[in-house]
Amino acid sequence: MTTLGPNRYGKSAIRLVRVDRGAGGHQVRDLTVAIALEGDFDSSYIEGDNSLVVATDTMKNTTYALAAEHLTGSIEAFGAALGRHFLRDSQVDRATVTIDEFMWRPIGDAPDSFLRDRSWTRTAVVAATGDGLSVESGIAELVVMKTSRSAFSGFPRDEFTTLAETEDRLLATKVSATWRYVDGADVDYDASFTAVTRTLLDVFAEHHSVSVQASIWIIGRAIIERHAEIAEITMTLPNLHHWTADLERFGIPNDRQIYVSTTEPHGLIQATVRRA
């Protein structure tokens, strides 16, 4: 006997750019949107019956249509509008909207010229059900570095261990962080995103890191303590290794000045810090 397990379907990689032309200059919103629906769709898999299947092309068109009215504030609010729209179909139990927003910065004082800022990507995941909304915000592709006040020592050694212990190393990572809000919290998503990101950067810069694991705890704890609307934060920090280049064979001293930057293989550290 066979049975159909959990399933979902939708439209991914919907590219959307909105330009607002105000008197004080233009504003560019650059989004990639994904929509996934769950619900009474078993017959489409088992019987080939498409009578309840919302076409993924319709999802794409709906994203563009709703952007005119609803993409005026946070991406979380836009995701909520999309999620609620698809719940109007009775066969849909859950609509999950995932949004990445890419930044464009004005070039000088020109009102209509922009430079793509690749420093980071803002993210949001909004799940709409009959019971309400679940909202997660986040940041991705945030590359940061500490050139001192980073160490790694005291780890176990065996016959395959070659890594030297160090009390002063270069630490680089590409931060991905996602945070969930306290149930019932009245959140200004734009203000919260700015504040949480500022705390993340400030604490990364200020603290002494004895390991990437300890850094996640220190940064995550600070975010929970400083921002009452945050229930938990999950952080993923790959350790982007920088090895000191061997210049001794050329008779050239290298006191932590010249490095070989590598991206693969890399350590990968992840943890969630929660409000008690």
Side-chain angles (χ1 to χ4, degrees):
M1 180 177 179
T2 58
T3 184
L4 180 68
N7 57 84
R8 54 162 36 184
Y9 82 101
K11 197 75 162 181
S12 295
I14 304 170
R15 296 288 293 120
L16 165 63
V17 174
R18 171 173 173 152
V19 179
D20 290 316
R21 295 172 172 84
H26 299 176
Q27 182 186 24
V28 175
R29 304 294 300 274
D30 184 352
L31 276 56
T32 296
V33 181
I35 298 167
L37 303 184
E38 301 169 60
D40 183 15
F41 300 111
D42 287 11
S43 61
S44 68
Y45 293 91
I46 298 171
E47 302 170 12
D49 178 2
N50 295 328
S51 60
L52 296 179
V53 176
V54 180
T56 65
D57 190 68
T58 302
M59 299 179 192
K60 177 201 67 178
N61 294 340
T62 302
T63 300
Y64 295 130
L66 266 60
E69 178 182 356
H70 294 285
L71 186 53
T72 57
S74 69
I75 56 175
E76 290 84 355
F78 181 50
L82 284 169
R84 291 191 180 105
H85 174 88
F86 289 108
L87 279 184
R88 298 188 314 180
D89 293 309
S90 60
Q91 71 272 32
V92 178
D93 295 331
R94 174 184 291 266
T96 301
V97 182
T98 303
I99 303 176
D100 292 342
E101 181 168 21
F102 311 102
M103 299 297 109
W104 290 84
R105 306 296 184 192
I107 299 175
D109 297 326
D112 57 0
S113 299
F114 297 84
L115 175 70
R116 170 73 184 274
D117 183 351
R118 298 181 181 273
S119 300
W120 44 267
T121 301
R122 179 173 173 176
T123 66
V125 179
V126 181
T129 68
D131 296 327
L133 294 175
S134 171
V135 180
E136 293 183 350
S137 301
I139 191 168
E141 304 294 318
L142 177 64
V143 181
V144 291
M145 177 185 290
K146 293 178 75 71
T147 56
S148 66
R149 290 183 296 157
S150 173
F152 189 59
S153 61
F155 51 89
R157 309 190 72 86
D158 62 22
E159 65 271 28
F160 302 120
T161 303
T162 60
L163 183 67
E165 298 191 3
T166 178
E167 299 301 325
D168 192 3
R169 66 173 179 173
L170 188 151
L171 171 63
T173 186
K174 182 185 292 185
V175 179
S176 292
T178 302
W179 51 89
R180 183 176 60 81
Y181 298 95
V182 172
D183 290 342
D186 184 14
V187 181
D188 180 333
Y189 294 111
D190 286 339
S192 180
F193 176 83
T194 299
V196 170
T197 302
R198 185 73 264 161
T199 296
L200 190 158
L201 291 171
D202 286 346
V203 177
F204 177 84
E206 294 164 359
H207 85 290
H208 179 93
S209 173
V210 298
S211 68
V212 179
Q213 287 87 338
S215 292
I216 288 180
W217 170 252
I218 291 168
I219 295 169
R221 183 179 61 184
I223 289 171
I224 294 294
E225 291 175 349
R226 298 182 190 183
H227 305 283
E229 75 276 18
I230 305 301
E232 68 177 31
I233 181 169
T234 298
M235 301 178 65
T236 301
L237 272 62
N239 192 352
L240 305 180
H241 300 297
H242 287 66
W243 307 114
T244 306
D246 181 10
L247 301 182
E248 290 185 2
R249 52 185 171 170
F250 308 124
I252 301 173
N254 185 17
D255 183 14
R256 296 168 304 156
Q257 183 180 34
I258 308 299
Y259 294 87
V260 178
S261 174
T262 65
T263 57
E264 296 176 350
H266 58 254
L268 187 63
I269 300 90
Q270 182 181 61
T272 298
V273 181
R274 295 191 173 106
R275 188 174 300 279

